Each structure stands twice: as C-alpha cells, then as structure tokens.
Amino acid sequence: MKEQDSPAKGKPDYIVPGLLRGLSILGLFGYRRPTMRLADIARELNLPRATAFRLVYTLEQEGYLLRIKESGAYSLGPLVLTLGFDYLHSQELVQIAGPLLDGLRDRTGASTHLAVLDRFDVLYIYRAASHERLSSNRHVGSRLPAHVNSIGRAILLAFSDEELNDMYSGVDLRVEGHDEPRDLEVLKRYVAEERERGYVAGSFVPGIAHVAAPVRDASGRAVAGVNVSDYESLPCMQDMHGVLKDEVLATSAEISSRLGHSGHTLRATPPESKRS
C-alpha cells in the first residue's frame, strides 16, 4: 500500500468525528454501567441532546444499541456481542483451550471457563457448561472485577507487589456483594498467599466454589486464566485442594505448553492506565 493510501494515526484530518462519537458512546457501557439513558449519554460526552439522539438512534437501528422499552434506557445490542464473540472464537487461545476445558468439564462434572484480563476486569471468552442439572451461569462475554474473581486473582498471581501498587493505587476496590478485598493492602496479602500456593480456590459467591490457575504464553506472561466453577454441592468440589486442584493445574499447564510456555517464571502485563 502506498504511503498516501495508509491511515495516518493521530492526524486530525483523518479522523471522522461522527464515527469517533459513536464509538465513544459504545465505550460508556460496561459491567458497572450496563444501561444508560439518553440524557446521561449526552452529559457524559458533553453533546447536545439532539446530536446524542441522532447518534444513539443510528446505533440502535444498526443493532449496536438496544432500547429497553420499560425504562427508555439503552444497553449494548446483539451486533456488538456478535462481533466480539466472532473475534474471540477465532483466536488461537480459545482454539487451544476449548477442547481441554471440555475434557476438564467431563472429568469433574462441573463447569469450566477461560477468561482474559481487560484492564481491571476479567472477560470470559470460553465456557464448557456442566452436564449436571445444576450449572454455573457465567457466560461468554461476562465481565467481572478481577480482584474479586477466581480467574482474575489467578492472573494477578503473576503481578509483583510493585505492579499491583501501580495498577490499583488510588482505585476504589469496594464491590457490591463482596466483603473483601476492600483495599490494596488486603488484596496484596491475598495474592501473596495464593501465589505461594500456585492456584486460587474458595468461594467468591455464596454457594459457588472455584479453583483457578493462570495460563502462560511463550514469553512467560500470564495471558489468561482457567477455572472450575460451579455449585459447591457437586462431588468434585469436596476435594478442592486435592484432586480438583491437580486437574485444574494440569489443564492450565497443558494449555500453556501448547502456547509455547516452557515452564519459566511468568509475569503479567499490567494495564496501561488506571480506572477512573
């Protein structure tokens, strides 16, 4: 491609304001704010209400936003999810981990999951649902704060205290429905204990048990995490720190090996910017 035909990153002349505003609207939605009203969108982006309406209406008509009739608020539409899932499912990580997580599910009888770190959240990109009548309801596309999630904490095992300081300093760690960790020092203490053990196990949600471990790539970075997560009444959950832990660690090690990991010490890559 000739130089004059290539996009010039950062040059204002090449930026389409309408497209940028539309993308900014989609970026407002997330785990902590799944719905928004038109007035809130206009205020957040400092847009005239009429401009916000036209942008939101266009996104709604194209399937990127969905209007909730009862409240008049908006949520992300099915097209956003479809595009995201198609991308995720085409990636090497899911292709490698999927069959292994299916096998882990079949051996344990519990649901298994794969998730990646996305700034301060974990994003679930694969789920092998339990064949049992009772099953975890964590679906692909779900997002949860990493520090109160088993897979998130498994990924954080690769962070040093200094990296945890850089990532979470000044960030409010309080999450509704979770008593701990509520501050950085408590989080570092939890991570230190779990790092020593090499895996994460316990109950982050009442009635649900988890065992999680990190997944590492060829460079040794923690690029994802896997877990077994399901009702604590399932038989496999009665030996979380024994057989089940061994199964999860073996599966994470096999995925890591297929990604080129040789067994050297892993490190994670902290997010580039703090959550506001």
Side-chain angles (χ1 to χ4, degrees), residues 23-93:
L23 293 172
S24 296
I25 289 174
L26 297 179
L28 294 175
F29 296 84
Y31 167 76
R32 296 180 180 276
R33 189 164 51 181
T35 64
M36 292 191 72
R37 301 181 67 86
L38 178 63
D40 299 325
I41 294 172
R43 183 176 62 254
E44 284 276 343
L45 298 180
N46 196 26
L47 295 173
R49 188 180 178 91
T51 300
F53 173 79
R54 290 195 298 270
L55 290 166
V56 167
Y57 180 82
T58 300
L59 292 169
E60 180 188 2
Q61 293 302 305
E62 294 300 315
Y64 292 98
L65 287 180
L66 182 67
R67 189 171 186 271
I68 304 170
K69 294 181 180 180
E70 293 78 10
S71 64
Y74 294 85
S75 64
L76 291 178
L79 193 55
V80 172
L81 299 178
T82 299
L83 291 173
F85 294 169
D86 286 346
Y87 169 76
L88 292 170
H89 281 288
S90 70
Q91 302 308 295
E92 179 187 23
L93 180 57

Side-chain angles (χ1 to χ4, degrees), residues 7 12 36 59 99 139 159 169 180 192 207 258:
M36 292 191 72
L59 292 169
H139 297 287
F159 285 68
S169 180
E180 295 287 357
R258 296 189 188 190

Side-chain angles (χ1 to χ4, degrees), residues 96-126:
I96 289 173
L100 294 171
L101 289 173
D102 290 347
L104 179 60
R105 180 268 318 277
D106 294 341
R107 294 192 301 275
T108 62
S111 297
T112 61
H113 308 84
L114 171 73
V116 296
L117 188 66
D118 183 14
R119 298 194 71 214
F120 295 89
D121 296 337
V122 287
L123 173 65
Y124 282 73
I125 62 175
Y126 189 82

